[in-house]
Amino acid sequence: MKNDFQVKKIKHVAIIMDGNGRWAQNRAHRRVWGHVRGSSIVSDVVERSDDLGVEALTLYAFSTENWSRPQAEVKTLFSLLKKFLMRERSRILKNKIRFKVIGDIVNLPEATKDLIAKLENETKDFDGLKLSFAFGYGGRSEIVSGIKSLVEQGIEISEESISKAMYAPEIGDVDLLIRTGGDQRISNFLLWQVAYAELFFTNTKWPDFNTEEYEDILRSVEGRERRFGAVDETESLDSARKMARVNHQQY
Ligand code: IPE
Ligand code: IPE
Ligand code: MG
C-alpha cells in the first residue's frame, strides 16, 4: 500500500544501524541481545522505504572493522543475517525487491553464502526497491578494489569510471545518510557515495528506531534545500541588490 507522503528528492537512503550493544547493556543484557532486537525492525524499515517511494536502501550491518569484535558476537551477527535471509525471502520476492550484499563475505559460512547468491540471482531483474546489505563492508576497501580493477582493465581513472567501479554502481550516490545511536561519524561507510549526502544523526538506538521516526526524518530532509555547491540564481541576485542598497545607505 502506498503512503500519502512520497519522497521526491531522496532516492537513495543509507542507514548506519548503530547502538545495539548500548541498548542491551542499558537494560543489563548482553550486547548480542541488542543485535537480536535490532534485526527484528529491519523488515519494517525496508517495507516503509518501499511504501514511501525510496528507490534504493543500503543498510550497514557489519563493517570490515567489526571483524575485531569477540567471536561470539561476530557469530551472532552471521546467524542473524542468515535468519533474515530465510525469514524475508518470500516477502522480498513478493515485493519485487532487488537484493544485494555489498562487501567481502568470503568468511561467511557456506550455507549463508549460498542463500545470498540464490536471493541475489532470483531478484536481479526486479525493478522494485534496491535493497543492499553492507556486510563485511569497508568504504576504503571498496574504493581501492574499484580503482585496482580499473587499472587492470586499462580504463582511465575519472569520477565517472570510479563510480561505475563501485560494488553496486546502480544504487548511485547517497541522498540521505541516517545514523542511529547518537554518534556523529561515518565509520567507513559508502565514502565515495556520500560526497553530497544529507546527514541525519539521531540519538535513538537502533532497536528503538521505528517507522514513525524514519518517516519523520524523510519528511524533514525532503524540505531541506540541497545546493550542491551552487546558489539559487534569483535568490542570489535579489540578496545582492539588497546588500548593495544597505551598503549604499551606510556609506
Ligand atoms: C551496531 O550496534 C551493530 C553493529 C556494529 C554490528 P553496535 O554493536 O555497534 O552497538 P553499540 O554502538 O556498541 O551500542
Ligand atoms: C558502524 O558501527 C558499523 C555498523 C553499524 C555495522 P560501529 O559501532 O562499528 O562503528 P564505530 O566503532 O562506532 O565507529
Ligand atoms: Mg556501534
Side-chain angles (χ1 to χ4, degrees):
M1 199 187 64
K2 286 266 175 280
N3 200 289
D4 289 346
F5 166 69
Q6 293 285 292
V7 291
K8 290 192 191 73
K9 291 185 267 185
I10 303 168
K11 299 190 182 335
H12 180 187
V13 178
I15 308 181
I16 302 176
M17 307 182 290
D18 195 27
N20 293 349
R22 282 164 287 161
W23 182 91
Q25 281 165 339
N26 289 347
R27 286 160 181 77
H29 284 294
R30 286 163 55 231
R31 293 176 51 82
V32 290
W33 177 236
H35 298 315
V36 174
R37 290 296 295 263
S39 75
S40 71
I41 68 142
V42 171
S43 48
D44 289 347
V45 172
V46 172
E47 196 172 326
R48 185 61 65 97
S49 302
D50 209 9
D51 293 345
L52 295 173
V54 171
E55 289 175 15
L57 175 68
T58 307
L59 300 172
Y60 206 5
F62 190 85
S63 72
T64 43
E65 290 73 21
N66 292 150
W67 282 111
S68 63
R69 293 195 177 193
Q71 223 190 335
E73 184 170 343
V74 170
K75 270 198 165 166
T76 302
L77 291 164
F78 285 1
S79 85
L80 287 169
L81 173 66
K82 187 176 176 201
K83 283 189 184 134
F84 177 87
L85 294 167
M86 295 194 302
R87 188 177 69 228
E88 296 300 320
R89 183 172 169 272
S90 57
R91 198 145 49 140
I92 287 175
L93 295 177
K94 185 172 131 256
N95 292 320
K96 301 272 177 253
I97 290 173
R98 200 291 329 257
F99 178 81
K100 243 186 197 183
V101 171
I102 56 170
D104 182 358
I105 54 163
V106 283
N107 290 322
L108 285 186
E110 288 304 320
T112 311
K113 283 195 275 193
D114 290 347
L115 283 172
I116 293 170
K118 188 163 175 248
L119 196 54
E120 284 185 341
N121 192 43
E122 284 174 315
T123 65
K124 68 179 186 321
D125 298 322
F126 285 170
D127 58 2
L129 176 74
K130 293 182 177 68
L131 172 63
S132 309
F133 261 56
F135 207 95
Y137 175 87
R140 285 187 171 180
S141 87
E142 178 181 31
I143 295 169
V144 170
S145 77
I147 291 177
K148 269 190 183 162
S149 87
L150 293 175
V151 171
E152 275 163 23
Q153 297 170 76
I155 298 172
E156 193 187 339
I157 306 293
S158 66
E159 292 193 12
E160 209 191 341
S161 66
I162 294 176
S163 294
K164 282 196 186 136
M166 296 292 99
Y167 294 142
E170 72 287 354
I171 60 178
D173 286 346
V174 175
D175 297 302
L176 167 62
L177 173 69
I178 300 171
R179 181 176 187 137
T180 61
D183 288 316
Q184 304 198 354
R185 56 177 170 262
I186 308 287
S187 300
N188 204 13
F189 192 36
L190 299 173
L191 296 180
W192 182 262
Q193 299 87 337
V194 298
Y196 258 106
E198 294 292 326
L199 307 178
F200 198 102
F201 300 101
T202 168
N203 288 328
T204 307
K205 294 180 182 63
W206 180 252
D208 278 336
F209 195 69
N210 58 34
T211 49
E212 284 72 40
E213 181 169 2
Y214 181 49
E215 189 170 330
D216 284 348
I217 294 171
L218 291 180
R219 281 176 191 269
S220 88
V221 174
E222 269 287 329
R224 286 188 196 170
E225 188 196 355
R226 299 181 73 193
R227 289 186 290 271
F228 299 99
V231 286
D232 180 307
E233 265 184 34
T234 44
E235 204 178 275
S236 68
L237 198 61
D238 265 6
S239 52
R241 281 189 183 131
K242 269 187 213 129
M243 282 304 288
R245 272 202 297 276
V246 171
N247 287 343
H248 185 73
Q249 280 158 11
Q250 275 178 352
Y251 302 106

